[in-house]
Amino acid sequence: MSLAAQAQASRNAGWIYTSNQSGAVFFDADLNGYPGMEKITVCDNTSDGRGIRAEVSGTNGSGSTWIFLSDPSNDGTCESVQGNFFIEDTYVGVVVYEYWGDNTAHLATATAEA
């Protein structure tokens, strides 16, 4: 009898908020009904002249990849994108922060598993 390595399960990042709570990103590792599909949602939660940007990084079939997604204003909607961006059962880095012009502030980070 041999012991096989236990398969890793996908793990969402949940809502990750900027350090001042002005915006957030959600990383959904396996979109309901679409195994292997990831969804990234970013939301600007305050009307302060600053947008919210998310950067999600991981590994795809040809190496490292970064997904950048921005919500430029608190207009009542969030921005999202979905696709099969990352190799299954690999770690994904999630970053969210405020931006205005070339400036950034209030960074927060998390990890998930595609």
Side-chain angles (χ1 to χ4, degrees):
M1 183 190 267
S2 66
L3 296 176
Q6 185 176 359
Q8 295 175 316
S10 297
R11 181 175 48 88
N12 295 342
W15 283 106
I16 308 304
Y17 289 87
T18 58
S19 64
N20 67 347
Q21 306 291 306
S22 65
V25 62
F26 189 95
F27 176 77
D28 190 342
D30 279 321
L31 194 56
N32 285 341
Y34 300 94
M37 295 289 285
E38 297 90 28
K39 183 177 181 182
I40 304 162
T41 303
V42 63
C43 300
D44 185 350
N45 298 329
T46 59
S47 298
D48 59 4
R50 298 178 179 188
I52 301 297
R53 182 169 293 134
E55 299 180 13
V56 182
S57 62
T59 304
N60 65 13
S62 45
S64 295
T65 189
W66 286 82
I67 306 296
F68 298 91
L69 185 62
S70 300
D71 186 1
S73 65
N74 179 26
D75 62 1
T77 63
C78 298
E79 297 294 326
S80 66
V81 63
Q82 65 187 41
N84 188 5
F85 303 119
F86 308 108
I87 295 174
E88 293 304 298
D89 301 325
T90 59
Y91 286 102
V92 174
V94 182
V95 178
V96 63
Y97 54 88
E98 289 183 345
Y99 73 92
W100 66 104
D102 292 334
N103 302 302
T104 62
H106 304 291
L107 179 121
T109 63
T111 59
E113 228 171 291

